Structure formats: structure tokens, C-alpha cells
Amino acid sequence: MSKPIIATASLAGCFGCHMSFLDIDERILDLVELVQWGKSPINDIKTFQQDCDIALIEGGCCNDEHIHTLREFRKHCRILVAVGECAIMGGLPAMRNNIPIKECLEEAYLNSPSTSDANPDKIFPNDEELPMLLDKVYPCHEIVKMDYFLPGCPPRADLIYGALVALVTGQEAELPYEVVKFD
Ligand code: SF4
């Protein structure tokens, strides 16, 4: 029987969730026994060669490229897992959601101490290849159906590993109380 195929994506995140995944250390060798790898920044495979069984999604959606990527993952993956607070709730990037986008752009490119001198012509980046910013940062489940949610910033490596093995082997994933409670 062929092994399940796992894919991963990083949208509007900091790659901390991927780093936490890699913190499973030598258990990645156990994982290699259980799964095959599909499209992921971990192996730098950039396109879907075939449909995947499970995808781990880091980050929410802050531009149109993220929306496109997430929809592609939904189309090509049987199970989508939102990994970390950015994917689940928008996380840190969603702090901009209460600020008009014009103000965000002015702060980033015109007014902040690090950019005001470097941008004397007061230009907003406008190359047509740049993705368009959305009006706000959206959690993944507001764009496509997500099947599972792994909380944490980032979720700890044990949690990611345990959930992945549970999904691959058809067991129930453990979600201890301390990872879902809020202080
Ligand atoms: Fe980074 Fe935390 Fe967001 Fe993961 S949840 S992408 S670690 S900020």
C-alpha cells in the first residue's frame, strides 16, 4: 500500500510553525517511514505533482496569492490542518485589521523611521507581479473549509508530530487541556 502524502504551506506566517515542526528532530526519520512528501517549503517542491492526503497550513491570508494558494491546497488535499494561531485566527498579522489599509501602507512605506529617508519619492510598491493586499487578514477557515486546528504560537513539536501520526494511522489525536485553554 502506498504511503500517505503530506504537503505543507506557509501563508501569512513567520515560518515559526514550520520550525516547530522540524523540532521533531530525529522523529522525522520515523515520519519518513510512514509518509511521502508532496509540495512543501521543507523540500522546495513548488507544485502539486499529485493530490495529497494531509496538508499542514501555517499562516492566514493577507493577500490574493495566499487565497489562491489556500484554495489550491483545498482542491488537492483531502485533509487540511490549520497549524498555529495565524492560520486559526489571523495571529499577529491580523493586528492590522483595525487599521485602514491606507494608514498601514503609509506607515510601512512613507512615515516610519526606517522608510521615510529611504523612499524620498514617496512611492508605494506597485509592480504588477506583487500580490494585492486584502482589506484585512483572514483566518484560513474563512476562505476554505479546514478540517483540524492545532493551537499554539507555534504549536509545540510534540503536538504537531502526535497529530500527524494520529491522522496518518487513523487514531484519535490528543489535544491536552493546556494547549486549548486561554489565560
Ligand atoms: Fe509564527 Fe506563531 Fe504565526 Fe506560527 S502561529 S506562523 S509561530 S506567529
Side-chain angles (χ1 to χ4, degrees):
M1 204 171 76
S2 62
K3 297 177 189 172
I5 303 173
I6 292 184
T8 78
S10 180
L11 307 177
C14 72
F15 263 96
C17 289
H18 272 79
M19 291 296 112
S20 185
F21 181 29
L22 293 178
D23 274 344
I24 66 174
D25 298 327
E26 70 278 5
R27 284 174 294 178
I28 201 157
L29 299 176
D30 300 330
L31 212 47
V32 167
E33 296 295 317
L34 287 174
V35 303
Q36 305 175 65
W37 292 91
K39 171 178 159 71
S40 169
I42 293 173
N43 53 19
D44 208 23
I45 294 179
K46 298 186 191 307
T47 55
F48 283 104
Q49 316 288 317
Q50 55 195 319
D51 285 354
C52 298
D53 295 282
I54 300 166
L56 306 179
I57 308 292
E58 167 191 303
C61 295
C62 76
N63 62 41
D64 59 357
E65 186 177 284
H66 294 147
I67 301 255
H68 173 76
T69 302
L70 186 55
R71 286 184 174 147
E72 280 289 290
F73 268 75
R74 181 69 278 176
K75 196 164 114 192
H76 289 287
C77 304
R78 195 166 54 83
I79 295 173
L80 289 191
V81 185
V83 180
E85 301 307 328
C86 295
I88 296 172
M89 296 192 292
L92 202 60
M95 286 181 71
R96 79 159 162 95
N97 285 1
N98 291 325
I99 303 169
I101 194 151
K102 183 167 178 286
E103 266 182 56
C104 291
L105 290 169
E106 285 172 352
E107 178 63 20
Y109 294 108
L110 305 185
N111 302 330
S112 73
S114 61
T115 53
S116 54
D117 291 343
N119 188 10
D121 297 330
K122 301 195 177 302
I123 294 170
F124 291 115
N126 60 1
D127 191 288
E128 61 184 24
E129 289 206 0
L130 290 174
M132 288 296 292
L133 275 185
L134 302 174
D135 59 331
K136 63 173 194 156
V137 178
Y138 292 83
C140 292
H141 71 271
E142 289 189 14
I143 307 298
V144 300
K145 175 182 178 291
M146 301 300 288
D147 301 292
Y148 295 99
F149 300 85
L150 282 183
C153 179
R156 58 179 192 247
D158 288 347
L159 190 68
I160 300 174
Y161 181 73
L164 211 41
V165 170
L167 285 172
V168 166
T169 58
Q171 295 164 7
E172 195 165 323
E174 283 184 26
L175 208 52
Y177 172 69
E178 63 266 21
V179 304
V180 290
K181 80 175 173 64
F182 294 92
D183 291 328

